[in-house]
Coordinates of all heavy atoms in Angstrom, one line a residue:
M1125 N 95.0 30.6 -95.2 CA 93.9 29.7 -95.5 C 94.2 28.3 -94.9 O 93.4 27.7 -94.2 CB 93.7 29.6 -97.0 CG 92.5 28.8 -97.4 SD 91.0 29.5 -96.7 CE 89.8 28.3 -97.2
R1126 N 95.4 27.8 -95.2 CA 95.8 26.5 -94.6 C 95.7 26.5 -93.1 O 95.3 25.6 -92.4 CB 97.1 26.1 -95.1 CG 97.6 24.8 -94.6 CD 98.9 24.4 -95.1 NE 98.9 24.0 -96.5 CZ 100.0 23.6 -97.2 NH1 101.1 23.6 -96.6 NH2 99.9 23.3 -98.5
L1127 N 96.2 27.7 -92.5 CA 96.3 27.8 -91.1 C 94.8 27.8 -90.5 O 94.6 27.1 -89.5 CB 97.0 29.1 -90.7 CG 97.2 29.3 -89.2 CD1 98.2 28.2 -88.7 CD2 97.8 30.6 -88.9
A1128 N 93.9 28.5 -91.2 CA 92.5 28.5 -90.7 C 91.9 27.1 -90.7 O 91.2 26.7 -89.8 CB 91.7 29.5 -91.5
L1129 N 92.2 26.4 -91.8 CA 91.6 25.0 -91.9 C 92.2 24.1 -90.8 O 91.5 23.4 -90.2 CB 92.0 24.4 -93.3 CG 91.1 24.9 -94.4 CD1 91.6 24.3 -95.7 CD2 89.7 24.5 -94.2
T1130 N 93.5 24.3 -90.5 CA 94.1 23.5 -89.5 C 93.5 23.8 -88.1 O 93.2 22.9 -87.4 CB 95.6 23.7 -89.5 OG1 96.1 23.5 -90.8 CG2 96.3 22.8 -88.5
A1131 N 93.3 25.1 -87.9 CA 92.7 25.5 -86.6 C 91.3 24.9 -86.4 O 90.9 24.4 -85.4 CB 92.7 27.0 -86.5
A1132 N 90.5 25.0 -87.5 CA 89.2 24.5 -87.5 C 89.2 23.0 -87.2 O 88.4 22.5 -86.4 CB 88.4 24.8 -88.8
F1133 N 90.1 22.3 -87.8 CA 90.2 20.8 -87.6 C 90.5 20.5 -86.1 O 89.9 19.7 -85.5 CB 91.3 20.2 -88.5 CG 91.5 18.8 -88.2 CD1 90.6 17.8 -88.7 CD2 92.6 18.4 -87.5 CE1 90.8 16.5 -88.4 CE2 92.8 17.0 -87.3 CZ 91.9 16.1 -87.7
V1134 N 91.4 21.3 -85.6 CA 91.8 21.0 -84.2 C 90.6 21.3 -83.2 O 90.4 20.5 -82.3 CB 93.0 21.9 -83.8 CG1 93.2 21.9 -82.3 CG2 94.3 21.5 -84.5
L1135 N 89.9 22.3 -83.5 CA 88.7 22.7 -82.6 C 87.7 21.6 -82.7 O 87.1 21.1 -81.7 CB 88.1 24.0 -83.1 CG 88.9 25.2 -82.6 CD1 88.3 26.5 -83.2 CD2 89.0 25.3 -81.1
V1136 N 87.4 21.1 -83.9 CA 86.4 20.0 -84.1 C 86.9 18.7 -83.5 O 86.1 17.9 -82.9 CB 86.1 19.8 -85.6 CG1 85.2 18.6 -85.8 CG2 85.3 21.1 -86.1
A1137 N 88.2 18.5 -83.6 CA 88.7 17.2 -83.2 C 88.9 17.0 -81.7 O 88.9 16.0 -81.1 CB 90.1 16.9 -83.9
L1138 N 89.1 18.2 -81.0 CA 89.4 18.1 -79.6 C 88.5 17.2 -78.7 O 89.1 16.4 -77.9 CB 89.4 19.5 -79.0 CG 90.7 20.3 -79.0 CD1 90.5 21.7 -78.4 CD2 91.7 19.5 -78.2
P1139 N 87.2 17.2 -78.9 CA 86.4 16.4 -78.0 C 86.7 14.9 -78.1 O 86.4 14.1 -77.2 CB 84.9 16.7 -78.4 CG 85.0 18.1 -79.0 CD 86.4 18.1 -79.7
A1140 N 87.3 14.5 -79.2 CA 87.6 13.1 -79.4 C 88.7 12.6 -78.5 O 88.9 11.4 -78.2 CB 87.9 12.8 -80.8
F1141 N 89.5 13.6 -78.0 CA 90.7 13.2 -77.2 C 90.4 13.3 -75.7 O 91.1 14.0 -75.0 CB 91.8 14.1 -77.6 CG 92.3 13.9 -79.0 CD1 92.0 14.8 -80.0 CD2 93.1 12.8 -79.3 CE1 92.5 14.6 -81.3 CE2 93.5 12.6 -80.6 CZ 93.2 13.5 -81.6
A1142 N 89.3 12.6 -75.3 CA 89.1 12.6 -73.8 C 90.2 11.8 -73.2 O 90.6 10.7 -73.7 CB 87.8 11.9 -73.6
A1143 N 90.8 12.3 -72.1 CA 91.9 11.7 -71.5 C 91.4 10.7 -70.4 O 90.3 10.9 -69.9 CB 92.8 12.8 -70.8
D1144 N 92.2 9.8 -70.1 CA 92.0 8.9 -69.0 C 92.9 9.2 -67.9 O 94.1 9.3 -68.1 CB 92.1 7.4 -69.4 CG 91.7 6.5 -68.3 OD1 90.6 6.6 -67.8 OD2 92.5 5.6 -67.9
H1145 N 92.4 9.3 -66.7 CA 93.2 9.5 -65.5 C 93.2 8.3 -64.6 O 92.2 7.6 -64.6 CB 92.7 10.7 -64.7 CG 92.5 12.0 -65.6 ND1 93.5 13.0 -65.7 CD2 91.5 12.3 -66.4 CE1 93.1 13.9 -66.5 NE2 91.9 13.6 -67.0
A1146 N 94.3 8.1 -64.0 CA 94.4 6.9 -63.1 C 94.5 7.2 -61.7 O 95.2 8.1 -61.3 CB 95.7 6.1 -63.5
V1147 N 93.7 6.5 -60.9 CA 93.8 6.7 -59.4 C 94.0 5.3 -58.8 O 93.2 4.4 -59.1 CB 92.5 7.3 -58.8 CG1 92.5 7.3 -57.3 CG2 92.3 8.7 -59.3
E1148 N 95.0 5.2 -58.0 CA 95.3 3.9 -57.4 C 94.7 4.0 -55.9 O 94.8 5.1 -55.3 CB 96.8 3.6 -57.3 CG 97.1 2.2 -56.8 CD 98.5 1.8 -57.0 OE1 99.4 2.7 -56.9 OE2 98.8 0.7 -57.3
I1149 N 94.1 3.0 -55.5 CA 93.6 2.9 -54.1 C 94.5 2.0 -53.4 O 94.6 0.8 -53.6 CB 92.1 2.4 -54.0 CG1 91.3 3.2 -55.1 CG2 91.6 2.6 -52.6 CD1 89.8 2.6 -55.2
K1150 N 95.3 2.6 -52.4 CA 96.3 1.9 -51.8 C 96.6 2.4 -50.4 O 96.6 3.7 -50.2 CB 97.6 2.1 -52.7 CG 98.7 1.1 -52.4 CD 99.8 1.3 -53.4 CE 101.0 0.3 -53.2 NZ 102.0 0.6 -54.2
G1151 N 96.8 1.6 -49.4 CA 97.0 2.0 -48.1 C 95.9 2.8 -47.5 O 96.1 3.8 -46.8
M1152 N 94.6 2.5 -47.9 CA 93.4 3.2 -47.5 C 93.4 4.6 -47.9 O 92.9 5.5 -47.3 CB 93.3 3.1 -45.9 CG 93.4 1.7 -45.4 SD 92.0 0.7 -45.8 CE 90.7 1.3 -44.8
K1153 N 94.0 4.9 -49.1 CA 94.0 6.2 -49.6 C 93.8 6.2 -51.1 O 94.2 5.2 -51.8 CB 95.4 6.9 -49.4 CG 95.6 7.3 -47.9 CD 97.0 8.0 -47.8 CE 97.3 8.3 -46.4 NZ 98.7 8.7 -46.2
F1154 N 93.2 7.3 -51.6 CA 93.2 7.5 -53.1 C 94.5 8.2 -53.5 O 94.8 9.2 -52.9 CB 91.9 8.3 -53.5 CG 90.6 7.7 -53.1 CD1 89.9 8.1 -52.0 CD2 90.1 6.7 -53.9 CE1 88.7 7.5 -51.7 CE2 88.9 6.1 -53.7 CZ 88.2 6.5 -52.6
V1155 N 95.1 7.7 -54.5 CA 96.4 8.3 -54.9 C 96.4 8.5 -56.4 O 96.4 7.6 -57.2 CB 97.6 7.3 -54.6 CG1 98.9 8.0 -55.0 CG2 97.6 7.0 -53.1
P1156 N 96.2 9.8 -56.9 CA 96.1 11.0 -56.0 C 94.6 11.1 -55.5 O 93.7 10.6 -56.1 CB 96.4 12.1 -57.0 CG 95.9 11.6 -58.4 CD 96.2 10.1 -58.3
A1157 N 94.5 11.9 -54.5 CA 93.1 12.1 -53.9 C 92.5 13.3 -54.6 O 91.2 13.5 -54.5 CB 93.2 12.3 -52.4
T1158 N 93.2 14.2 -55.2 CA 92.7 15.4 -55.8 C 93.1 15.4 -57.3 O 94.3 15.2 -57.6 CB 93.3 16.7 -55.2 OG1 93.0 16.6 -53.8 CG2 92.6 17.9 -55.8
L1159 N 92.1 15.5 -58.2 CA 92.4 15.5 -59.6 C 91.7 16.6 -60.3 O 90.5 17.0 -59.9 CB 91.8 14.2 -60.3 CG 92.3 12.8 -59.9 CD1 91.6 12.3 -58.7 CD2 92.2 11.9 -61.1
E1160 N 92.3 17.1 -61.3 CA 91.6 18.1 -62.2 C 91.5 17.5 -63.6 O 92.5 17.0 -64.2 CB 92.4 19.4 -62.3 CG 91.6 20.5 -62.7 CD 92.3 21.9 -62.5 OE1 92.4 22.3 -61.3 OE2 92.8 22.5 -63.5
V1161 N 90.3 17.4 -64.1 CA 90.0 16.7 -65.4 C 89.2 17.6 -66.2 O 88.6 18.7 -65.8 CB 89.3 15.4 -65.2 CG1 90.0 14.5 -64.2 CG2 87.8 15.6 -64.7
A1162 N 89.0 17.3 -67.5 CA 88.1 18.0 -68.4 C 86.8 17.2 -68.4 O 86.8 16.0 -68.3 CB 88.7 18.1 -69.8
V1163 N 85.7 17.9 -68.6 CA 84.4 17.2 -68.8 C 84.5 16.2 -69.9 O 85.0 16.6 -71.0 CB 83.3 18.2 -69.0 CG1 82.0 17.5 -69.4 CG2 83.1 19.1 -67.8
G1164 N 84.1 15.0 -69.7 CA 84.2 14.0 -70.7 C 85.3 13.0 -70.5 O 85.4 12.0 -71.1
D1165 N 86.3 13.4 -69.7 CA 87.4 12.6 -69.4 C 87.0 11.3 -68.6 O 85.9 11.4 -67.9 CB 88.5 13.3 -68.6 CG 89.3 14.2 -69.4 OD1 89.1 14.3 -70.6 OD2 90.2 14.9 -68.8
T1166 N 87.8 10.3 -68.6 CA 87.5 9.2 -67.8 C 88.6 9.0 -66.7 O 89.7 9.6 -66.8 CB 87.6 7.9 -68.6 OG1 88.8 7.8 -69.3 CG2 86.4 7.9 -69.7
I1167 N 88.2 8.4 -65.6 CA 89.1 8.1 -64.5 C 89.0 6.6 -64.3 O 87.9 6.0 -64.1 CB 88.7 8.8 -63.2 CG1 88.6 10.3 -63.5 CG2 89.7 8.5 -62.1 CD1 88.1 11.1 -62.3
T1168 N 90.2 5.9 -64.2 CA 90.2 4.5 -63.9 C 90.7 4.4 -62.4 O 91.8 4.8 -62.1 CB 91.1 3.7 -64.8 OG1 90.6 3.9 -66.2 CG2 91.2 2.3 -64.5
F1169 N 89.8 3.8 -61.6 CA 90.2 3.6 -60.2 C 90.6 2.1 -60.1 O 89.9 1.2 -60.5 CB 89.0 3.8 -59.3 CG 88.6 5.3 -59.2 CD1 87.7 5.8 -60.0 CD2 89.2 6.1 -58.2 CE1 87.3 7.2 -59.9 CE2 88.8 7.4 -58.1 CZ 87.9 8.0 -58.9
A1170 N 91.8 1.9 -59.5 CA 92.3 0.5 -59.3 C 92.6 0.3 -57.9 O 93.3 1.0 -57.2 CB 93.5 0.3 -60.2
N1171 N 92.0 -0.8 -57.4 CA 92.2 -1.1 -55.9 C 93.4 -2.1 -55.7 O 93.3 -3.2 -56.2 CB 90.9 -1.7 -55.4 CG 91.0 -2.0 -53.9 OD1 92.0 -1.6 -53.2 ND2 90.1 -2.8 -53.3
A1172 N 94.4 -1.6 -55.1 CA 95.6 -2.4 -54.8 C 95.5 -2.9 -53.3 O 96.5 -3.6 -52.9 CB 96.8 -1.6 -55.0
D1173 N 94.5 -2.6 -52.6 CA 94.4 -3.0 -51.2 C 93.8 -4.3 -51.0 O 93.0 -4.8 -51.9 CB 93.6 -2.0 -50.4 CG 94.4 -0.8 -49.9 OD1 95.7 -0.9 -49.9 OD2 93.8 0.2 -49.5
G1174 N 94.0 -5.0 -49.9 CA 93.3 -6.2 -49.6 C 91.8 -5.9 -49.3 O 90.9 -6.8 -49.5
A1175 N 91.5 -4.7 -48.7 CA 90.2 -4.4 -48.4 C 89.4 -3.9 -49.6 O 90.0 -3.3 -50.5 CB 90.2 -3.2 -47.3
P1176 N 88.1 -4.1 -49.6 CA 87.3 -3.6 -50.7 C 87.1 -2.1 -50.6 O 87.0 -1.6 -49.4 CB 85.9 -4.4 -50.5 CG 85.9 -4.7 -49.1 CD 87.3 -4.9 -48.6
H1177 N 87.0 -1.4 -51.7 CA 86.8 0.0 -51.7 C 85.8 0.4 -52.8 O 85.6 -0.4 -53.7 CB 88.1 0.8 -51.9 CG 89.1 0.6 -50.9 ND1 89.0 0.9 -49.6 CD2 90.4 0.0 -51.0 CE1 90.1 0.7 -48.9 NE2 90.9 0.1 -49.7
T1178 N 85.2 1.6 -52.6 CA 84.5 2.2 -53.7 C 85.0 3.6 -53.9 O 85.7 4.2 -53.0 CB 83.0 2.3 -53.5 OG1 82.7 3.5 -52.6 CG2 82.4 1.1 -52.8
A1179 N 84.8 4.2 -55.1 CA 85.0 5.6 -55.3 C 83.6 6.2 -55.7 O 83.2 5.9 -56.9 CB 86.1 5.9 -56.3
T1180 N 82.9 6.8 -54.8 CA 81.6 7.2 -55.0 C 81.4 8.7 -54.8 O 81.7 9.2 -53.8 CB 80.6 6.5 -54.0 OG1 80.9 5.1 -54.1 CG2 79.2 6.8 -54.3
A1181 N 81.0 9.4 -55.9 CA 80.8 10.9 -55.8 C 79.6 11.2 -54.9 O 78.6 10.6 -55.1 CB 80.7 11.5 -57.2
D1182 N 79.8 12.2 -54.1 CA 78.7 12.6 -53.2 C 77.5 13.1 -54.0 O 76.3 12.9 -53.6 CB 79.1 13.7 -52.2 CG 80.2 13.2 -51.3 OD1 80.4 12.0 -51.2 OD2 80.8 14.1 -50.6
D1183 N 77.8 13.7 -55.2 CA 76.7 14.2 -56.0 C 76.2 13.3 -57.0 O 75.4 13.6 -57.9 CB 77.1 15.6 -56.6 CG 78.3 15.4 -57.6 OD1 78.7 14.2 -57.8 OD2 78.8 16.4 -58.2
G1184 N 76.7 12.0 -57.0 CA 76.2 11.0 -57.9 C 76.8 11.1 -59.3 O 76.4 10.4 -60.2
A1185 N 77.9 11.9 -59.5 CA 78.5 12.1 -60.8 C 79.1 10.8 -61.3 O 79.2 10.6 -62.5 CB 79.5 13.2 -60.7
F1186 N 79.7 10.0 -60.4 CA 80.2 8.7 -60.8 C 80.3 7.8 -59.5 O 80.2 8.2 -58.4 CB 81.7 8.9 -61.3 CG 82.6 9.6 -60.4 CD1 83.3 8.9 -59.4 CD2 82.8 10.9 -60.5 CE1 84.2 9.5 -58.6 CE2 83.7 11.6 -59.6 CZ 84.4 10.9 -58.7
D1187 N 80.4 6.5 -59.8 CA 80.4 5.5 -58.7 C 81.1 4.3 -59.3 O 80.6 3.7 -60.3 CB 79.0 5.2 -58.2 CG 79.0 4.3 -57.0 OD1 80.1 3.9 -56.5 OD2 77.9 3.9 -56.6
T1188 N 82.1 3.8 -58.7 CA 82.8 2.6 -59.2 C 82.1 1.4 -58.8 O 82.3 0.3 -59.3 CB 84.2 2.5 -58.7 OG1 84.2 2.4 -57.2 CG2 85.1 3.7 -59.1
G1189 N 81.2 1.5 -57.7 CA 80.7 0.2 -57.1 C 81.9 -0.4 -56.3 O 83.0 0.2 -56.2
R1190 N 81.6 -1.5 -55.7 CA 82.6 -2.2 -54.9 C 83.7 -2.8 -55.7 O 83.5 -3.5 -56.7 CB 81.9 -3.3 -54.1 CG 82.8 -4.1 -53.2 CD 82.0 -5.3 -52.6 NE 82.9 -6.1 -51.8 CZ 82.8 -6.3 -50.5 NH1 81.9 -5.6 -49.8 NH2 83.6 -7.1 -49.8
L1191 N 85.0 -2.4 -55.4 CA 86.1 -2.9 -56.0 C 86.9 -3.8 -55.0 O 87.4 -3.3 -54.0 CB 87.1 -1.8 -56.5 CG 86.5 -0.9 -57.6 CD1 87.5 0.3 -57.8 CD2 86.2 -1.6 -58.9
N1192 N 87.0 -5.1 -55.3 CA 87.9 -5.9 -54.5 C 89.3 -5.8 -54.9 O 89.6 -5.2 -55.9 CB 87.4 -7.4 -54.6 CG 86.0 -7.6 -54.0 OD1 85.7 -7.0 -52.9 ND2 85.1 -8.3 -54.7
K1193 N 90.2 -6.5 -54.2 CA 91.6 -6.4 -54.5 C 91.9 -6.8 -56.0 O 91.4 -7.8 -56.4 CB 92.4 -7.3 -53.6 CG 93.9 -7.2 -53.8 CD 94.7 -8.1 -52.8 CE 96.2 -7.9 -53.0 NZ 96.9 -8.8 -52.1
G1194 N 92.7 -5.9 -56.6 CA 93.0 -6.1 -58.0 C 92.0 -5.7 -59.0 O 92.3 -5.8 -60.2
Q1195 N 90.8 -5.3 -58.6 CA 89.8 -4.9 -59.5 C 89.9 -3.4 -59.9 O 90.4 -2.6 -59.0 CB 88.4 -5.2 -59.0 CG 88.1 -6.6 -58.9 CD 86.7 -6.9 -58.5 OE1 86.2 -6.2 -57.6 NE2 86.0 -7.9 -59.1
S1196 N 89.5 -3.0 -61.1 CA 89.5 -1.6 -61.4 C 88.2 -1.3 -62.2 O 87.5 -2.2 -62.7 CB 90.7 -1.3 -62.3 OG 90.7 -2.0 -63.5
K1197 N 87.9 0.0 -62.2 CA 86.7 0.4 -62.9 C 86.9 1.8 -63.5 O 87.5 2.7 -62.9 CB 85.5 0.5 -61.9 CG 84.3 1.2 -62.4 CD 83.3 0.2 -63.0 CE 82.0 0.9 -63.4 NZ 81.1 -0.1 -64.0
Q1198 N 86.5 1.9 -64.8 CA 86.7 3.2 -65.4 C 85.3 4.0 -65.4 O 84.3 3.4 -65.7 CB 87.1 3.0 -66.9 CG 87.4 4.3 -67.6 CD 87.8 4.1 -69.1 OE1 87.0 3.5 -69.8 NE2 89.0 4.5 -69.4
V1199 N 85.4 5.2 -64.9 CA 84.1 6.0 -64.9 C 84.3 7.3 -65.8 O 85.5 7.7 -66.0 CB 83.8 6.4 -63.5 CG1 83.5 5.2 -62.6 CG2 84.8 7.3 -62.8
T1200 N 83.3 7.8 -66.3 CA 83.3 9.0 -67.1 C 82.8 10.2 -66.3 O 81.8 10.1 -65.6 CB 82.5 8.9 -68.3 OG1 82.9 7.8 -69.1 CG2 82.5 10.1 -69.2
V1201 N 83.5 11.3 -66.3 CA 83.1 12.5 -65.6 C 82.4 13.4 -66.6 O 83.0 14.1 -67.4 CB 84.3 13.2 -65.0 CG1 83.8 14.4 -64.2 CG2 85.1 12.3 -64.1
A1202 N 81.0 13.4 -66.5 CA 80.2 14.0 -67.5 C 79.8 15.4 -67.2 O 79.4 16.2 -68.0 CB 79.0 13.2 -67.9
A1203 N 79.9 15.8 -65.9 CA 79.4 17.1 -65.4 C 80.6 17.9 -64.9 O 81.4 17.4 -64.2 CB 78.4 16.9 -64.4
A1204 N 80.5 19.2 -65.2 CA 81.5 20.2 -64.7 C 81.3 20.4 -63.2 O 80.2 20.3 -62.7 CB 81.5 21.5 -65.5
G1205 N 82.3 20.8 -62.5 CA 82.2 21.2 -61.1 C 83.1 20.4 -60.2 O 83.9 19.6 -60.7
D1206 N 83.0 20.7 -58.9 CA 83.8 19.9 -57.9 C 83.0 18.8 -57.5 O 81.9 18.9 -56.9 CB 84.1 20.8 -56.7 CG 85.1 22.0 -57.0 OD1 85.8 21.8 -58.0 OD2 85.1 23.0 -56.3
H1207 N 83.5 17.6 -57.7 CA 82.8 16.3 -57.2 C 83.6 15.7 -56.1 O 84.6 15.0 -56.3 CB 82.7 15.4 -58.4 CG 82.1 15.9 -59.6 ND1 80.8 16.3 -59.7 CD2 82.6 16.2 -60.9 CE1 80.5 16.8 -60.9 NE2 81.6 16.7 -61.6
A1208 N 83.2 16.0 -54.9 CA 83.8 15.3 -53.7 C 83.4 13.8 -53.8 O 82.2 13.5 -54.2 CB 83.3 15.9 -52.4
F1209 N 84.3 12.9 -53.5 CA 84.0 11.5 -53.5 C 84.6 10.8 -52.3 O 85.5 11.4 -51.6 CB 84.4 10.8 -54.8 CG 85.9 10.8 -55.0 CD1 86.6 9.7 -54.6 CD2 86.6 11.8 -55.6 CE1 88.0 9.6 -54.8 CE2 88.0 11.7 -55.8 CZ 88.7 10.6 -55.4
K1210 N 84.1 9.7 -52.0 CA 84.6 8.9 -50.8 C 84.4 7.4 -51.1 O 83.7 7.0 -52.0 CB 83.9 9.3 -49.5 CG 82.4 9.1 -49.4 CD 81.9 9.5 -48.1 CE 80.4 9.5 -47.9 NZ 79.8 10.7 -48.6
C1211 N 85.0 6.6 -50.2 CA 84.8 5.2 -50.2 C 83.6 4.9 -49.3 O 83.6 5.3 -48.1 CB 86.0 4.5 -49.7 SG 85.8 2.7 -49.5
L1212 N 82.6 4.2 -49.8 CA 81.4 4.0 -49.0 C 81.7 3.0 -47.9 O 81.0 2.9 -46.9 CB 80.3 3.4 -49.9 CG 79.7 4.4 -50.9 CD1 78.5 3.8 -51.6 CD2 79.2 5.7 -50.2
V1213 N 82.7 2.1 -48.1 CA 83.1 1.2 -47.0 C 83.9 1.8 -45.9 O 83.8 1.5 -44.7 CB 83.9 0.0 -47.7 CG1 84.2 -1.1 -46.6 CG2 83.3 -0.6 -48.9
H1214 N 84.7 2.8 -46.3 CA 85.5 3.6 -45.3 C 85.3 5.1 -45.6 O 86.1 5.7 -46.3 CB 87.0 3.2 -45.5 CG 87.3 1.7 -45.6 ND1 87.4 1.1 -46.9 CD2 87.3 0.8 -44.7 CE1 87.7 -0.2 -46.6 NE2 87.6 -0.4 -45.3
P1215 N 84.3 5.7 -45.0 CA 83.9 7.0 -45.4 C 85.0 8.1 -45.1 O 84.9 9.2 -45.5 CB 82.6 7.3 -44.6 CG 82.1 5.9 -44.3 CD 83.3 5.0 -44.2
M1216 N 86.0 7.7 -44.3 CA 87.1 8.7 -44.0 C 88.0 8.8 -45.2 O 88.9 9.7 -45.3 CB 87.9 8.3 -42.8 CG 88.7 7.1 -42.8 SD 87.7 5.5 -42.9 CE 89.0 4.3 -42.6
M1217 N 87.9 7.9 -46.2 CA 88.7 7.9 -47.4 C 88.0 8.9 -48.4 O 87.0 8.6 -48.9 CB 88.8 6.6 -48.1 CG 89.6 5.5 -47.3 SD 89.5 3.9 -48.0 CE 90.2 4.2 -49.6
K1218 N 88.7 10.0 -48.6 CA 88.0 11.1 -49.4 C 88.9 11.6 -50.5 O 90.1 11.5 -50.4 CB 87.6 12.2 -48.5 CG 86.5 11.9 -47.5 CD 86.1 13.1 -46.6 CE 85.1 12.7 -45.7 NZ 84.6 13.8 -44.9
G1219 N 88.3 12.2 -51.5 CA 89.0 12.9 -52.6 C 88.1 13.8 -53.3 O 86.9 13.9 -52.9
T1220 N 88.6 14.6 -54.2 CA 87.8 15.5 -55.0 C 88.3 15.5 -56.5 O 89.5 15.5 -56.7 CB 88.0 17.0 -54.5 OG1 87.7 17.0 -53.1 CG2 87.1 17.9 -55.2
V1221 N 87.3 15.4 -57.3 CA 87.6 15.5 -58.8 C 87.0 16.9 -59.2 O 85.8 17.1 -59.0 CB 86.9 14.4 -59.6 CG1 87.0 14.7 -61.1 CG2 87.5 13.1 -59.3
T1222 N 87.8 17.7 -59.8 CA 87.4 19.0 -60.3 C 87.3 18.9 -61.8 O 88.4 18.6 -62.5 CB 88.3 20.1 -59.9 OG1 88.3 20.2 -58.5 CG2 87.8 21.5 -60.5
A1223 N 86.1 19.0 -62.4 CA 86.0 18.9 -63.9 C 85.7 20.2 -64.5 O 84.8 21.0 -64.0 CB 84.9 17.9 -64.2
K1224 N 86.4 20.6 -65.5 CA 86.3 21.9 -66.1 C 85.8 21.8 -67.6 O 86.1 20.8 -68.2 CB 87.6 22.7 -66.0 CG 88.0 22.9 -64.6 CD 89.1 23.9 -64.5 CE 89.3 24.3 -63.0 NZ 90.3 25.3 -62.8
Ligands
LIG1459 CU1 87.5 1.8 -48.7

């Protein structure tokens, strides 16, 4: 009985523990460029470069907007699937967020 109650609590409580993932933008690259997250998780993109960057999902799932040096932005990944993203200022900078 106690075990069942504990299991029920864990199942109900899980969505509250959305994780935050960190991506550094450095040397004209996303580090890491490939992430696996759970739906509802957040990702904080931080720009360490002198150049401005964005992290913009091709499918519109998230967009940091323009980040200047030292700026960061937290986005929420609300939809499951593979979200390819790139920097709109430097379209050769690419990455993929896979949300399950
Ligand atoms: Cu860029």
Side-chain angles (χ1 to χ4, degrees):
M1125 186 59 183
R1126 179 179 288 177
L1127 187 63
L1129 280 175
T1130 303
F1133 174 75
V1134 169
L1135 285 175
V1136 170
L1138 267 178
F1141 293 104
D1144 184 53
H1145 306 264
V1147 174
E1148 189 169 37
I1149 311 174
K1150 195 174 184 180
M1152 307 293 285
K1153 288 179 182 169
F1154 296 103
V1155 184
T1158 304
L1159 298 86
E1160 198 167 289
V1161 307
V1163 172
D1165 282 0
T1166 56
I1167 304 171
T1168 299
F1169 290 90
N1171 182 14
D1173 273 346
H1177 298 298
T1178 79
T1180 306
D1182 295 348
D1183 63 4
F1186 58 86
D1187 185 5
T1188 62
R1190 181 188 173 110
L1191 298 175
N1192 292 317
K1193 183 178 183 179
Q1195 291 186 317
S1196 64
K1197 170 89 175 180
Q1198 186 182 60
V1199 299
T1200 301
V1201 184
D1206 291 338
H1207 306 292
F1209 65 94
K1210 62 177 172 285
C1211 171
L1212 293 182
V1213 186
H1214 313 99
M1216 70 290 191
M1217 294 173 58
K1218 293 181 179 184
T1220 304
V1221 172
T1222 300
K1224 299 193 171 181

